[in-house]
Amino acid sequence: MRTFTVVVCSLVLLSCHYDFPLTAEPTRAADARLAGTWTLVEPEQGEKMDIRLYDDRHYVVAYNGEIYRAFHSDLAGMPLMSVQSLNDPERKYVVLEWKLSEDGKRLTIRVVSPDVVPEGTPDRDALVKLIESNRENPKLFGEPGVYVK
């Protein structure tokens, strides 16, 4: 299996890691600049991800036939999101870092690595502590996926 496809599927969630989001509620309003159709360009090309505003605090993401709910879960100055699988009966979450270019046309996403923050993390407080304590760890996030509008 292609390495990046694994990262992207983890990223936009074919394998979700946690039973709860990083934050109980969104930490900021949804950013309309994220809404649209994004095409993967690095390291591979062609996969599409559709992001739509659900309301002023949440997004709906369609990726590879799966549907997700996402919201901002900023922590310790890091732009993070909690993303929940809506197709999975367990409704698990993945946590990812996102960066949008100044012109709003390039989106880079990296998933929190379950090797650093284990899937069995027992609760939100432990999840927060693990991410905060590994903030400088280069292995905290997987390889980046880069998308363009």
Side-chain angles (χ1 to χ4, degrees):
M1 184 182 286
R2 297 174 288 180
T3 302
F4 189 72
T5 299
V6 170
V7 170
V8 169
C9 289
S10 294
L11 166 171
V12 186
L13 318 185
L14 296 179
S15 69
C16 297
H17 306 302
Y18 311 108
D19 293 328
F20 37 81
L22 180 60
T23 57
E25 297 292 327
T27 56
R28 67 167 119 165
D31 185 338
R33 298 175 306 155
L34 290 173
T37 300
W38 295 89
T39 303
L40 181 65
V41 294
E42 289 179 27
E44 298 181 22
Q45 297 181 356
E47 295 187 27
K48 303 260 188 235
M49 173 173 58
D50 288 310
I51 301 175
R52 300 292 180 254
L53 298 176
Y54 178 74
D55 59 27
D56 64 340
R57 312 267 301 159
H58 298 89
Y59 305 93
V60 173
V61 179
Y63 186 79
N64 283 345
E66 300 289 323
I67 304 295
Y68 305 92
R69 175 179 75 114
F71 59 88
H72 295 280
S73 290
D74 298 340
L75 178 69
M78 293 184 287
L80 302 175
M81 280 197 184
S82 293
V83 184
Q84 181 184 34
S85 172
L86 298 179
N87 292 72
D88 177 8
E90 294 181 8
R91 302 279 172 122
K92 290 197 174 203
Y93 291 83
V94 70
V95 177
L96 59 85
E97 175 190 58
W98 67 280
K99 292 182 182 176
L100 188 62
S101 64
E102 290 292 322
D103 65 4
K105 294 181 181 177
R106 188 176 184 90
L107 176 63
T108 302
I109 300 173
R110 298 188 307 159
V111 177
V112 167
S113 172
D115 293 334
V116 176
V117 181
E119 291 183 20
T121 301
D123 57 39
R124 182 176 293 115
D125 289 340
L127 182 62
V128 166
K129 286 177 185 173
L130 283 166
I131 291 173
E132 286 178 331
S133 67
N134 282 284
R135 180 187 169 108
E136 302 302 321
N137 182 346
K139 295 181 181 180
L140 176 59
F141 298 101
E143 295 296 318
V146 180
Y147 295 81
V148 295
K149 268 190 177 176

